[in-house]
């Protein structure tokens, strides 16, 4: 009996396609066997386990809903199930995967040039390049509409 069948009181699992369950269960196994045994040490040390990045990439977590560029092209439900399992392991792990995929990779996918997509998305999907997303600044917190910081190109950079 799977872990999901024990807690799935409304039999939602029955509504999932086999590939959706398989993706969820694969990530759940990773969380149980590879992540939970190490997260306590990282919590105590105030560190993030970067050693799991290659494994997350191998599992197709980064850019999971994107098509092409080496990304998995999964549907949104499967992506949500994957993130739910990562969250079960640790909120920081889910946030890391979500920022890499949804905020960074998707922005390039949706708004970048073909040159940018080709240069960045395969490397980010493989976990060789990590993105970041700055959303907090003084006086506005996490309100992107109120942010005033802008990057301006100069002769010395930005």
């Amino acid at each position: 009996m799977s872990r999901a069948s024990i807690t799935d009181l409304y039999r939602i699992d029955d509504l999932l396609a086999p590939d959706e369950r398989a993706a969820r269960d694969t990530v759940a196994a990773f969380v149980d066997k590879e992540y939970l045994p190490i997260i306590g040490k990282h919590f105590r040390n105030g560190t993030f386990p970067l050693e799991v990045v290659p494994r997350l990439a191998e599992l197709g977590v980064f850019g999971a809903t994107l098509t092409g560029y080496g990304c998995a092209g999964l549907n949104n439900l499967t992506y949500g199930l994957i993130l739910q399992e990562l969250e079960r392991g640790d909120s920081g792990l889910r946030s890391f995967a979500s920022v890499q995929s949804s905020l960074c990779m998707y922005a390039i996918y949706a708004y970048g040039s073909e040159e940018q997509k080709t240069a960045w998305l395969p490397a980010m999907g493989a976990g060789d390049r990590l993105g970041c997303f700055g959303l907090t600044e003084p006086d506005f917190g996490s309100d992107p509409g109120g942010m005033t910081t802008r990057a301006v190109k100069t002769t010395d950079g930005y």
Side-chain angles (χ1 to χ4, degrees), residues 11-87:
R11 298 184 59 147
I12 293 173
D13 212 50
D14 294 346
L15 302 173
L16 301 176
D19 59 328
E20 293 165 341
R21 283 193 302 272
R24 180 208 51 210
D25 294 347
T26 299
V27 173
F30 158 76
V31 168
D32 289 340
K33 294 177 184 149
E34 300 177 49
Y35 192 76
L36 290 177
I38 65 168
I39 192 56
K41 172 189 79 170
H42 285 281
F43 177 78
R44 286 188 299 278
N45 294 334
T47 57
F48 182 81
L50 287 173
E51 64 266 28
V52 303
V53 170
R55 186 72 170 110
L56 290 170
E58 180 184 310
L59 293 170
V61 169
F62 301 137
T65 61
L66 304 182
T67 303
Y69 308 98
C71 297
L74 302 175
N75 66 36
N76 288 325
L77 177 59
T78 304
Y79 181 53
L81 293 167
I82 287 170
L83 291 182
Q84 184 177 25
E85 289 301 325
L86 295 178
E87 180 77 25

Side-chain angles (χ1 to χ4, degrees), residues 135-148:
L135 181 61
T136 301
E137 70 176 34
D139 301 321
F140 292 103
S142 295
D143 174 14
M147 294 176 75
T148 58

